[in-house]
Amino acid sequence: MPPAASAFSALSERVSLHTACVRAGQPRQDALDAVTTPIACTATYAFGSTAELRDHFEGRTDREEYGRYGNPTVRVAEEKLAALDGGQDAALFASGMAAITTTLFALLKKGDHVVLTADCYRRTRVFVQGFLTRYGVVATLVPAGDLDALEAAVTNDTKLIITESPTNPYLRIADIAAISRIKSKSPRLKVIVDATFATPVNQRPLSQGADLVIHSCTKYLGGHNDLLAGVVTGDAGLVSIVRDLRSMLGSVLDPHAAYLLLRGIKTLALRVERQNTTALTVARFLEAHPAVERVFYPGLPSHPDHELARRTMSGFGGVVSFVLRTTLEGTARALDACELATMAPSLGGVETLIEQPALMSHYEMTPEERAAIGIRESLVRLSVGIEDASDIIADLERVLRTIEIANDSAAASCGNNTQV
Ligand SMILES: *Cc1c(COP(=O)(O)O)cnc(C)c1O
């Protein structure tokens, strides 16, 4: 059984987030006297005697047993992440989706009801609606930002509210404290927040009443576009239920990826604070540009959740979405012309990435289907990296200058049906 996370939680209460990024999570014993956490590259762990084995199984020792149940390098990363989120414990997974699917499988059974916000991560929604329903789970989707609809959707059978903040691609902000108050309607109700876009630097949902937080560590936490990982943090009892299923499903994180993650997190606060600043600068530049019809960034007063973000977050994040005054093809040409911003899915790394959701994450949909969920043809999502803001802006400025503004772009295929 893994140890309780009390030591690092205590640390995280005394030190700043910057300090916790570097120092929270310590290997339990380190034969190398290394300052950094070694990669424990082993599939199994030796017992010196049957007596040691008995001590382990009867919970008298704190040690590893077999790689699918735990790994010391992974454990240190879990301790660090628990400390950053202010959680009692954390469990790491091979990807963000492994964290989400394992958590939902672990906490739901036939007949349970889940409420999720309509703009949550698409794979999460597809998993719940298209897969969990096969096992008798009932799901209700409610519009983003509609607390009344959320509360009205909760019944006696509701086990989970799954929300996300900020959301992709319109960066809607969830009022986590208000959502968590809905828990008083039903004693078994838990709130899970996918806080991938926020990171513990910008928002700590557990302190606002959420029971569990999930991050795709592939994004900001790893931060270097070199690993896949996911984590669930929060209440120790819930995390333990999720970890037990992980041991069965085998969706564990490899110790090499855990090492990269530990290394990445050391600079998390530095990176995210810079990305917050750069994204706001870029968002203001875009909002003033004639080729840009609309910018979605919670740090701008024009964003519908600006006040909520100011009240509940300590930074607005590194992702900026915007609609160009041109067509699908005009937008594609603009992205093709970018030199600094790299066209790629994903976000949160040190490299600035750019994508056109209509031709990337929502490619297989028809224009009508995209319109129905508010994905405009000329929508662009930019994830700013840690390059100089002036270089990012120069790249965008050069590209935007070439755009031939389409007169009909405001009407282009999506009408008034955007989610914001
Ligand atoms: C990327 C992402 C996921 C999935 O994470 P993977 O590590 O790609 O499996 C889940 N939620 C959000 C909000 C994401 O951005």
Side-chain angles (χ1 to χ4, degrees):
M1 228 185 52
S6 54
F8 19 88
S9 305
L11 175 68
S12 73
E13 280 159 24
R14 290 199 312 275
V15 302
S16 80
L17 194 80
H18 278 271
T19 307
C21 284
V22 185
R23 305 304 293 269
Q26 295 292 332
R28 270 167 284 161
Q29 77 265 90
D30 179 3
L32 305 173
D33 291 326
V35 168
T36 55
T37 304
I39 306 175
C41 211
T42 182
T44 189
Y45 304 88
F47 289 85
S49 65
T50 308
E52 268 186 33
L53 198 64
R54 286 207 171 97
D55 283 345
H56 168 64
F57 283 122
E58 287 169 26
R60 287 189 291 271
T61 53
D62 170 23
R63 55 158 293 153
E64 303 298 348
E65 176 190 336
Y66 178 64
R68 187 157 27 76
Y69 309 146
N71 172 282
T73 313
V74 173
R75 187 63 200 151
V76 173
E78 289 175 340
E79 292 174 356
K80 194 185 276 291
L81 286 158
L84 294 182
D85 264 338
Q88 291 171 334
D89 202 358
L92 267 165
F93 294 83
S95 69
M97 279 315 294
I100 291 166
T101 54
T102 308
T103 300
L104 298 186
F105 262 140
L107 300 182
L108 293 170
K109 60 174 176 16
K110 189 175 166 188
D112 284 342
H113 178 231
V114 296
V115 180
L116 65 167
T117 39
D119 57 350
C120 71
Y121 189 66
R122 200 152 68 91
R123 300 280 174 203
T124 303
R125 196 178 69 227
V126 170
F127 177 70
V128 171
Q129 287 193 302
F131 199 79
L132 285 181
T133 48
R134 284 202 233 158
Y135 297 88
V137 171
V138 183
T140 304
L141 227 61
V142 296
D146 190 342
L147 263 176
D148 294 336
L150 189 65
E151 182 154 12
V154 169
T155 70
N156 283 340
D157 293 326
T158 310
K159 195 85 174 283
L160 295 178
I161 295 175
I162 306 165
T163 188
E164 197 170 307
S165 191
T167 62
N168 177 41
Y170 292 112
L171 307 162
R172 296 301 308 261
I173 309 298
D175 190 339
I176 294 161
I179 291 172
S180 299
R181 281 195 289 276
I182 298 175
K183 282 193 286 184
S184 63
K185 278 188 78 174
S186 170
R188 296 184 317 140
L189 186 56
K190 306 287 179 205
V191 171
I192 301 183
V193 179
D194 180 335
T196 299
F197 276 56
T199 83
V201 181
N202 288 338
Q203 187 157 47
R204 303 179 78 187
L206 297 174
S207 70
Q208 296 168 350
D211 300 283
L212 289 175
V213 169
I214 294 178
H215 301 278
S216 165
C217 307
T218 312
K219 316 294 168 55
Y220 289 98
L221 291 161
H224 294 72
N225 290 319
D226 57 4
L227 65 89
L228 286 169
V231 72
V232 52
T233 66
D235 176 81
L238 293 175
V239 171
S240 158
I241 294 169
V242 175
R243 181 184 284 114
D244 283 351
L245 186 62
R246 181 188 71 179
S247 294
M248 189 137 53
L249 297 182
S251 45
V252 291
L253 187 66
D254 181 85
H256 292 90
Y259 172 81
L260 287 174
L261 179 58
L262 281 165
R263 186 177 162 126
I265 296 173
K266 290 183 188 185
T267 55
L268 174 74
L270 290 174
R271 286 186 281 107
V272 172
E273 284 175 4
R274 181 175 171 99
Q275 284 164 310
N276 287 341
T277 307
T278 303
L280 182 59
T281 309
V282 171
R284 286 180 178 145
F285 157 77
L286 290 168
E287 197 162 53
H289 199 286
V292 177
E293 183 190 311
R294 184 158 178 199
V295 181
F296 301 92
Y297 185 66
L300 295 176
S302 59
H303 192 279
D305 299 326
H306 177 61
E307 284 310 318
L308 179 62
R310 275 175 47 137
R311 192 157 48 77
T312 59
M313 300 181 73
S314 39
F316 302 116
V319 175
V320 183
S321 296
F322 52 100
V323 176
L324 293 176
R325 289 188 199 279
T326 182
T327 57
L328 180 89
E329 294 304 332
T331 307
R333 278 193 296 276
L335 264 62
D336 284 341
C338 287
E339 288 172 0
L340 188 143
T342 302
M343 195 195 301
S346 199
L347 60 123
V350 293
E351 294 92 1
T352 293
L353 302 184
I354 197 162
E355 64 138 330
Q356 185 176 358
L359 294 182
M360 180 80 78
S361 46
H362 298 71
Y363 188 88
E364 72 283 9
M365 292 183 163
T366 64
E368 293 72 28
E369 284 169 342
R370 286 195 290 262
I373 58 162
I375 298 295
R376 299 276 299 267
E377 306 289 80
S378 59
L379 176 70
V380 177
R381 188 187 76 183
L382 179 76
S383 167
V384 305
I386 60 167
E387 305 95 335
D388 206 280
S390 62
D391 291 323
I392 297 170
I393 288 174
D395 192 39
L396 293 171
E397 179 151 52
R398 184 180 49 75
V399 166
L400 294 184
R401 222 182 293 135
T402 66
I403 285 181
E404 292 163 33
I405 296 174
N407 294 325
D408 62 344
S409 72
S413 68
C414 286
N416 298 321
N417 214 357
T418 51
Q419 292 168 331
V420 177

